[in-house]
Amino acid sequence: MTKWTTAKIPDQSGRTAIVTGANTGLGLETAKALAAKGAHVVLAVRNLTKGEAAAEWITRSVRDADLELQRLDLGSLASVREAVDEIRTKHETIDLLINNAGVMTPPRETTSDGFELQFGTNHLGHFALTGLLLDRLLPAVGSRIVTVSSIGHRFAPGIRFEDLQWERRYNRLQAYGQSKLANLLFTYELQRRLIGQHTTALAAHPGGSDTELARHLPGVVQRAVPLVRPLFQEAAMGALPTLRAATDPGALGGQYYGPDGLGQQKGHPKLVTSNERSYDIELQRRLWIVSEELTGVTFPVLQGARA
């Protein structure tokens, strides 16, 4: 069977795609691939200077790339709302929302809203962004929301509702895992709520990708990185599961894509499954309610929400 590559991405002309964290790594490669297929790509980045450098890098390979820069700091709900207001003035409809940006295993920090940095950025920021832009996605036939999770979701024993912000005892790997598990719980609950709509929600993970995301790994792990680097793949390969979830005509809402190699560490994208906790409907609904309360963002009433 033929492996899935960017050559299989259908023409994206006339479509608008928003990619968070598009200035580096997986997001940069995702944006480049979509631009190469004709999409108008909004590079949603925290640092506009780095965003400009990313846009220049893309246009060196894709000379006619149709790009737009948008400042977005997912660690600030005020920034999310400001970015949404600006996006809404420019775009009546959105075809693809790629929730890619994230942070991985930093020392304990909080967002400007007081949330643990990984949970606040990786999950709550994207939850708010999606909810505030959803009415721009719903009218677009074939629109998709793709949220990037990680194999690391398996590090989380669950969602620590009793200490959601890790104020009592901080474990950076488990906190990262919680944020990535939250990405999946959010995707599956969102898809259930989208039943009957033109829009679908999917998830993807890049396997082990050699990107800047790992710069905050604990020292002992950092020292081992050179030894395990052969297990990692380049960002262009790591972006393929996201791109397949976003563009494959055969991809369905609620699906999860990852690499096809040993342990899903590397390889070409295929349909994969997440851990048992991620499919817990009650856990999905509880996290949804808490996320609405923490962000102050309520999604439009959707038919599937009553299911």
Side-chain angles (χ1 to χ4, degrees), residues 39-59:
H40 173 75
V41 183
V42 179
L43 310 178
V45 299
R46 186 173 59 176
N47 185 309
L48 287 178
T49 300
K50 291 182 178 180
E52 290 169 357
E56 291 175 4
W57 182 83
I58 292 173
T59 53

Side-chain angles (χ1 to χ4, degrees), residues 137-247:
L137 286 144
L138 293 175
V141 177
S143 57
R144 295 183 186 179
I145 300 159
V146 179
T147 300
V148 180
S149 183
S150 166
I151 293 174
H153 81 275
R154 300 179 184 277
F155 299 154
I159 301 295
R160 290 164 52 102
F161 290 106
E162 75 286 355
D163 185 23
L164 199 53
Q165 309 307 335
W166 296 82
E167 295 170 312
R168 301 177 196 165
R169 179 187 58 83
Y170 181 63
N171 180 304
R172 64 176 74 185
L173 284 172
Q174 289 185 7
Y176 176 69
Q178 173 177 266
S179 73
K180 295 287 102 180
L181 174 60
N183 288 153
L184 289 163
L185 294 166
F186 166 56
T187 295
Y188 298 150
E189 176 66 15
L190 177 58
Q191 174 54 34
R192 186 163 48 251
R193 290 166 179 257
L194 288 170
I195 291 172
Q197 302 290 337
H198 294 306
T199 307
T200 53
L202 302 90
H205 81 81
S209 294
D210 194 1
T211 71
E212 293 181 7
L213 190 64
R215 64 186 180 277
H216 293 302
L217 285 170
V220 64
V221 181
Q222 286 279 15
R223 290 190 288 274
V225 166
L227 300 176
V228 299
R229 181 157 276 125
L231 299 176
F232 296 167
Q233 58 186 357
E234 294 182 353
M237 283 295 294
L240 289 182
T242 299
L243 288 163
R244 183 168 188 180
T247 66

